[in-house]
Amino acid sequence: MIAVISDIHANLEALEATLADAKSQGVNKIVCLGDIVGYGADPNRCVERIHEVAAASVLGNHDAATLDERGAENFNAVARVAIQWTREQMSPENMEILRKTPLEYIADGALYVHASPEDPNLWNYVLTETDARAAFDCCDEFICFIGHSHVPVRLLLTNGSLEVVPDASLAVPQGARALVNVGSVGQPRDGDWRASYALFDPTTRQVTSRRVEYDCQAAAAKILAAGLPEVLARRLALGR
Ligand code: ZN
């Protein structure tokens, strides 16, 4: 069983709770879809923890903007402040880990990427049907896992017809393909404050979205103590 996690955003409390939940579900492989840092107060410890437990990790736009400040040019003011702070905190060893992180990972019949696979370096969101079809066109695997929007979504493409699967669990039929946004561990934005990630069994082609409670007051208190923008602390409990 594989755990696919994304958008940790330096929220160590959410990451540890997610890893504990994954362990309880019999997970023996962890894949991280990036944005390990940015917004939260524990960038170094989150990079170290992911490096320690994940079989593979791909780069997110906040990781890229930490490595190269030009990546933050399109960020809003709050995200830019957080990335500047993150860059000052990061150890050289952890910057090196991020620098070696690829944009894509292919294994288990899956393509793992942070944003749209159309051009992973452009960090495009998959929000519309057109975006989703373009994403499917750029993926040869039966399933593509993405993050980036912080909103979990499951899409199924069967004989050219595209549907949104509302259930938390989905078995991809033979001949069909899926695009799964696993949501965000450290800063969910779908109105549910709990950490979001997905379980994936490549043999049964089953994907299950999971939500995990964590100590979001502790994560918020650390953000305030670090002097990061207050809104980043407040939003955790709102899931926005
Ligand atoms: Zn993100």
Side-chain angles (χ1 to χ4, degrees):
M1 185 74 80
I2 299 166
V4 189
I5 64 175
S6 189
D7 295 273
I8 290 88
H9 286 293
N11 184 337
L12 187 66
E13 286 70 27
L15 176 60
E16 291 298 353
T18 300
L19 294 176
D21 186 78
K23 196 172 178 188
S24 78
Q25 298 299 307
V27 162
N28 52 15
K29 175 175 180 176
I30 293 165
V31 179
C32 174
L33 303 182
D35 276 7
I36 301 173
V37 303
Y39 299 135
D42 277 310
N44 281 302
R45 291 179 67 190
C46 287
V47 170
E48 285 155 13
R49 196 73 172 105
I50 296 285
H51 190 63
E52 180 183 293
V53 299
S57 191
V58 298
L59 200 70
N61 54 316
H62 286 253
D63 308 323
T66 301
L67 291 170
D68 181 345
E69 55 194 331
R70 285 170 298 177
E73 275 165 12
N74 311 328
F75 282 18
N76 64 40
V78 166
R80 229 179 298 127
V81 167
I83 280 300
Q84 182 57 42
W85 179 88
T86 301
R87 206 176 293 127
E88 289 160 8
Q89 304 298 313
M90 291 290 281
S91 73
E93 294 78 13
N94 289 334
M95 287 294 261
E96 196 51 34
I97 290 173
L98 292 184
R99 201 168 290 120
K100 286 181 180 153
T101 305
L103 285 167
E104 290 181 337
Y105 170 62
I106 297 173
D108 324 303
L111 170 63
Y112 300 94
V113 60
H114 182 69
S116 173
E118 220 188 336
D119 188 344
N121 215 5
L122 293 180
W123 315 111
N124 288 328
Y125 288 94
V126 180
L127 300 174
T128 65
E129 180 170 346
T130 312
D131 300 340
R133 287 188 184 277
F136 274 112
D137 285 346
C138 298
C139 173
D140 295 327
E141 315 307 308
F142 85 83
I143 191 162
C144 177
F145 287 99
I146 61 170
H148 197 36
S149 72
H150 299 203
V151 175
V153 180
R154 293 156 296 272
L155 295 174
L156 200 59
L157 183 69
T158 318
N159 298 324
S161 84
L162 194 64
E163 61 173 309
V164 179
V165 179
D167 315 354
S169 198
L170 151 76
V172 185
Q174 290 296 330
R177 296 165 70 211
L179 179 70
V180 176
N181 189 316
V182 301
S184 169
V185 166
Q187 196 199 75
R189 294 179 191 161
D190 60 340
D192 183 340
W193 63 275
R194 298 171 301 167
S196 173
Y197 79 104
L199 293 172
F200 170 45
D201 183 341
T203 5
T204 59
R205 297 163 63 105
Q206 182 98 20
V207 183
T208 306
S209 300
R210 292 204 45 95
R211 300 308 288 245
V212 185
E213 295 191 3
Y214 75 96
D215 189 350
C216 80
Q217 309 302 342
K222 283 188 189 173
I223 288 173
L224 295 177
L228 284 159
E230 197 189 329
V231 61
L232 295 175
R234 241 184 298 123
R235 68 189 301 175
L236 294 183
L238 304 172
R240 298 252 171 245

